[in-house]
Each structure stands twice: as structure tokens, then as C-alpha cells.
Amino acid sequence: MNRTLLSVMTSLLLFMSGSFSAFSAETAATLPFSSPLDTQEDFDRWHVYNLDEGTTSWELGSSDNGGQGAKSKSSIGQATDDWLVSPAISLPKGEKYEISFKVYATYYSTEHLNVTIGTAPEPASQTTVLQAVEIKGGYDAYYYGIKVSVIIPAKDADGVYYIGINHKEKTNEGNMALVKDFKVAKVSNGNLAGTVTDSAKQPISGAAVTLAGSQTYTATTSADGAFAFNDVLQGDYNLTVSALGKTTLKKDVTVKADATETVELSMSDMAT
């Protein structure tokens, strides 16, 4: 065999080997990762597994108010065990990360989702359940969707991971879950500070303040009505303030990374 022919055959083998590797290996996405899940092209980046006896699993679909998204529908008379697993995502060590997405459900059903993480997309490799999520049907879930926030603890080493959403229901339970606006980003911390006063602008001492979101924080107002939450994970929270003789106050707040948000709250007297 002459050298020219040998060289051509060698180059062809190397090319074929390289092409095979390119198709078989999935290139890991870097952060921040975003997947709206509202087009077929975007949905097709994900891995879908049907582990129940039904014929349906996750697919690109729609809900009455959520528009297009990844949709899992329970089968009548059967349990549901459908898996939607993200593309490969590179997570550097030593940082916390937040997974966030929105879920729409029907008005009358409650849906159960397990958010998992593993080193391969197959369900058997999704060995860590990060959070069990219950989406209760109702006005918000049907019309506006429920935002889900899940924290990935810091890893000891750099790695490539896959994030799973497992729609799991018992026989004749659940109905439909539609997931969209999936994101993964590094978590940074911020601060929230505020004051609580009465209708006469006098400070309220000893009021109980709760900040509930991806994590829950509590504080009590000081003599001058002040409270503070330091080193809080960034994100959206529900702030609740209660005090003796006052109507409970609730407010939605957002804690931003590397910043201090301030709020001034006024409580009214409880009706007698």
C-alpha cells in the first residue's frame, strides 16, 4: 500500500472517529444557563424518559394561560413517572447555584415534582433529590404559574451535571404540569433592612418578622422598630410581620446580589 493511500485512509479514520465522538459526547453548557422551553428546538436539547406504563411523557405543549412549555400529563388509571432532564451543565466547585423555573397546573389538581441532580441524564443516575415540590391547583397555579426556586449546594470539585424534573404521581392523582423559563445561575448574597411603625409613625418593638423564600429567615424588631437580614441568598421572598394588636402585614420583596434593600412598613390596628 503506497504512502498516499495510507495517508488518505488514516485521515478518513481520524475524521470518522472525531465525528463519532462529536455526536456521542454532549458539550456542557456554562453558566448562566437559560432554557425557555417554549420552542421545539429548545425542548429537543433536553432528555425525556417515560418510566410509567402510560404512553405519554414530557413533550412540547401548552396550557390555557402558560403558553408553550414542557408538558407532562397524567394518564387516567395509571401512575405517572415522567422524567425531563436538562442538557449537560458545567458547575465549578465552591459556589452555590439556584435552579428556577415556573410551573402551571390545572385549577383543581395538585402536582408533585422532584428536582434532582446527577452526573448522567438517565433517571438511575439522578441520585440526589434536591427538593420535592408540591404545586397546589388554584388561581395562581392556573392563571399565573408558580415560581420554583431550588438551591444546589456547593460542590467539592468542578463537574458536569444534569438536572432532572420528575413528575411523579400515584394512580389517578395529578393531571398536568407545564414547566417553562428554566434557569441555573450562581447564587450571590444580599441584605434586607427595614423599619416597622404604627399608623402614627411610632416604632413597633418586638414585632416578629419572617422572610420566606428559597430559605426562611426570622428576626425581631428592636426598640426603634428596626430589623435586618444579612447575608441572605438573592431571590424573591415573602416578608411577613406580626405584632400584638396589629393586623398581620405581608409584602413581596426581592433581595439583590451584593446590595442592601430597604423597606419601610406601617402596621394598622387590628379591628375590634
Side-chain angles (χ1 to χ4, degrees):
M1 183 179 296
N2 61 52
R3 291 185 178 180
T4 301
L5 181 58
L6 180 61
S7 176
V8 170
M9 292 180 66
T10 301
S11 297
L12 181 60
L13 287 170
L14 288 172
F15 174 78
M16 292 175 64
S17 175
S19 298
F20 179 79
S21 298
F23 282 111
S24 61
E26 184 176 347
T27 301
T30 56
L31 297 181
F33 175 80
S34 178
S35 178
L37 285 168
D38 59 356
T39 65
Q40 191 67 53
E41 181 181 8
D42 188 36
F43 178 83
D44 287 344
R45 295 194 297 159
W46 290 64
H47 307 267
V48 173
Y49 301 92
N50 181 10
L51 299 190
D52 56 47
E53 297 178 355
T55 58
T56 62
S57 187
W58 290 95
E59 61 183 359
L60 183 70
S62 62
S63 69
D64 292 342
N65 300 288
Q68 293 281 93
K71 182 177 181 178
S72 172
K73 190 170 178 61
S74 300
S75 299
I76 297 175
Q78 296 175 333
T80 301
D81 191 3
D82 294 336
W83 287 80
L84 179 68
V85 184
S86 75
I89 302 174
S90 178
L91 299 180
K93 66 180 180 180
E95 300 283 357
K96 289 182 180 179
Y97 304 95
E98 180 189 30
I99 303 166
S100 63
F101 55 90
K102 185 169 281 190
V103 184
Y104 288 82
T106 58
Y107 201 95
Y108 298 104
S109 65
T110 296
E111 308 299 328
H112 298 89
L113 304 173
N114 291 321
V115 181
T116 63
I117 190 169
T119 54
E122 293 79 13
S125 298
Q126 294 291 307
T127 54
T128 301
V129 177
L130 296 171
Q131 188 170 314
V133 179
E134 183 179 79
I135 304 296
K136 293 184 178 180
Y139 190 88
D140 289 340
Y142 181 70
Y143 286 101
Y144 301 111
I146 303 297
K147 183 179 178 181
V148 175
S149 177
V150 179
I151 298 300
I152 304 175
K155 301 295 183 181
D156 294 331
D158 296 343
V160 173
Y161 296 90
Y162 298 80
I163 297 165
I165 301 176
N166 176 213
H167 185 199
K168 194 171 183 66
E169 304 290 350
K170 297 178 181 178
T171 301
N172 293 327
E173 292 187 2
N175 187 297
M176 183 279 298
L178 183 125
V179 171
K180 62 187 304 179
D181 299 334
F182 184 94
K183 298 176 182 178
V184 183
K186 186 178 76 169
V187 170
S188 296
N189 292 347
N191 307 308
L192 177 70
T195 55
V196 180
T197 59
D198 60 20
S199 56
K201 302 299 182 182
Q202 296 300 306
I204 297 177
S205 174
V209 186
T210 301
L211 188 65
S214 56
Q215 295 190 11
T216 300
Y217 307 84
T218 59
T220 303
T221 57
S222 60
D224 58 358
F227 67 90
F229 297 102
N230 297 317
D231 204 26
V232 173
L233 292 174
Q234 69 180 58
D236 297 327
Y237 290 86
N238 297 315
L239 184 68
T240 303
V241 185
S242 58
L244 185 64
K246 305 296 181 183
T247 300
T248 298
L249 179 66
K250 295 184 178 181
K251 181 179 177 63
D252 293 333
V253 297
T254 299
V255 176
K256 298 179 181 179
D258 304 318
T260 299
E261 302 297 314
T262 58
V263 292
E264 294 182 359
L265 306 171
S266 178
M267 302 188 75
S268 58
D269 293 337
M270 188 177 294
T272 56

